[in-house]
Amino acid sequence: MSDTRDRNQGRFVSAEAVAKLAGVSRSAVSRAFTPGASIAPATLARVHAAAAALGYQVNDLARGLLANRSRLVGLVTSDADTPFRAQMIAALSRALIERSNVPAIINIGPTAGDVANASRQLLRYRAEATVFLSGSPPASLVELTRRNGQPLILVNRAETGLDSVHCDDGDGAQQAFAALRSTGASRFAVVNRAKPSPSLAAREHAFAEYAAASGFEAKIVRTGLADYDGGKEAARLLLASGQAPDAVFCVNDLMAFGTLDHLRDAGLRVPDDVSVIGFDDVPMAAWSSYRLTTLRQDPCRIAREVVSILDRRIAEPDSPPISVYFPVELVVRKTVRARL
């Protein structure tokens, strides 16, 4: 191994090194990597050849600091390891990278202070925008980001005056109730977490309203977190409270998985004795051990809508807030009885 390689190990190739190898000025290197800049074709070719030989890459972070902005887009989330959240992060990351952004994923705790701290860090790094997958930014932080010209976009969260992308929770709940009622079910239940997010609360409320409009009462069970254990505990409480329901709507798939396993362990047949519907359509929903009927949110559709809003907000920073609602699709598998 040469002395030169040893000295350079762990260091980035500089624009000055490219200029020296190409026999041009430092400014010529800058123009060679600036779209639309004026530079002679022969000079451009020499610079690109030297850059390729040295393995040079443009320092976008430095350029962003000079321009008082960066290509960073923050993805603020909690529970990043849950299936649907992981799908959302993956889809958004791909869409942002295609847009030439650099996604910065910040996994936060549950408090408003956690949200505020994450957002302030992104402001310090001059992030181009922040996308909230969890939590709602405090009003003081919203005002701070507005003064700094940083767009905020919420996913499946409601906040007055902010851009947002939502699945149609009400329509999803209506589809779930219609599918369960079509089996002849009359004892309905909704499984939710103890402190639901606005989106989960909207699903619960809409389902209960549709049931009431048809002359039925939906029993609401809220417990724990919106995860597998929360679903199991909710099913335990449902069975301990009296006659078992014959139709259960779970506000997400993870709770549905826990609900299904507890019902089956208790000796109930799904879907013969009780039908179960989830929400999200995470990959596990199609597994043979669950084959869960559920409402599908499309993470790629959400990501496209977020990018579209970001483009529009940057082009028209003073335009009114943008709210986009996208439909959900009932995916029928094996946890709902056949229609009567």
Side-chain angles (χ1 to χ4, degrees):
M1 186 180 295
S2 70
D3 290 341
T4 300
R5 187 173 179 184
D6 286 339
R7 286 197 302 271
N8 289 339
Q9 189 172 15
R11 299 173 62 185
F12 289 102
V13 177
S14 68
E16 286 80 4
V18 175
K20 183 177 180 180
L21 181 60
V24 301
S25 67
R26 170 66 178 79
S27 62
V29 175
S30 178
R31 291 197 304 275
F33 290 97
T34 301
S38 175
I39 184 170
T43 303
L44 179 64
R46 289 206 309 276
V47 171
H48 282 183
L54 294 173
Y56 171 74
Q57 295 292 321
V58 175
N59 188 340
D60 280 333
L61 180 59
R63 287 189 172 189
L65 291 174
L66 289 172
N68 202 31
R69 63 177 290 188
S70 73
R71 299 297 290 173
L72 290 174
V73 172
L75 303 180
V76 179
T77 184
S78 62
D79 302 323
D81 56 346
T82 57
F84 185 70
R85 197 61 52 77
Q87 284 183 285
M88 274 301 317
I89 292 170
L92 280 165
S93 295
R94 286 193 298 269
L96 289 168
I97 289 170
E98 288 176 3
R99 191 181 178 271
S100 298
N101 287 114
V102 179
I105 301 166
I106 301 182
N107 195 22
I108 61 170
T111 70
D114 296 322
V115 177
N117 288 336
S119 300
R120 290 191 181 96
Q121 287 294 326
L122 291 166
L123 278 173
R124 292 187 185 109
Y125 280 96
R126 300 297 189 266
E128 185 174 355
T130 297
V131 180
F132 285 91
L133 305 180
S134 302
S136 294
S140 59
L141 184 63
V142 172
E143 181 58 29
L144 179 63
T145 56
R146 281 176 175 157
R147 290 201 302 267
N148 281 270
Q150 187 197 81
L152 302 182
I153 303 173
L154 308 185
V155 176
N156 280 336
R157 314 196 72 81
E159 187 80 18
T160 303
L162 292 180
D163 297 332
S164 56
V165 179
H166 312 258
C167 76
D168 194 334
D169 293 306
D171 180 65
Q174 183 177 29
Q175 291 185 62
F177 177 76
L180 293 169
R181 178 62 189 139
S182 72
T183 68
S186 59
R187 301 186 306 279
F188 298 94
V190 181
V191 167
N192 204 345
R193 64 174 294 170
K195 296 180 179 179
S197 68
S199 185
L200 299 186
R203 295 169 196 177
E204 171 195 304
H205 179 71
F207 188 93
E209 280 200 332
Y210 287 119
S214 297
F216 300 96
E217 180 181 0
K219 184 169 188 176
I220 310 297
V221 179
R222 301 191 194 100
T223 180
L225 301 175
D227 59 9
Y228 177 85
D229 289 336
K232 288 198 75 170
E233 176 63 9
R236 186 190 70 77
L237 292 174
L238 276 173
L239 297 185
S241 64
Q243 188 177 20
D246 56 5
V248 180
F249 173 52
C250 299
V251 296
N252 72 7
D253 289 346
L254 283 182
M255 297 198 86
F257 299 149
T259 297
L260 282 169
D261 282 344
H262 187 85
L263 293 174
R264 289 165 173 167
D265 289 345
L268 292 173
R269 299 168 300 162
V270 178
D272 296 328
D273 297 323
V274 56
S275 295
V276 177
I277 290 181
F279 206 114
D280 290 337
D281 194 30
V282 300
M284 289 170 59
W287 290 6
S288 59
S289 55
Y290 290 117
R291 292 182 290 180
L292 175 68
T293 294
T294 183
L295 282 307
R296 183 171 191 267
Q297 295 192 72
D298 183 352
C300 293
R301 168 73 180 273
I302 298 171
R304 289 195 300 271
E305 298 290 0
V306 167
V307 167
S308 175
I309 288 177
L310 179 56
D311 288 338
R312 292 160 63 187
R313 178 56 56 204
I314 290 174
E316 301 178 42
D318 298 322
S319 63
I322 303 166
S323 293
V324 175
Y325 286 82
F326 60 91
V328 294
E329 174 191 1
L330 182 67
V331 180
V332 178
R333 295 193 178 99
K334 301 295 183 180
T335 60
V336 174
R337 290 193 302 274
R339 291 172 177 265
L340 288 180

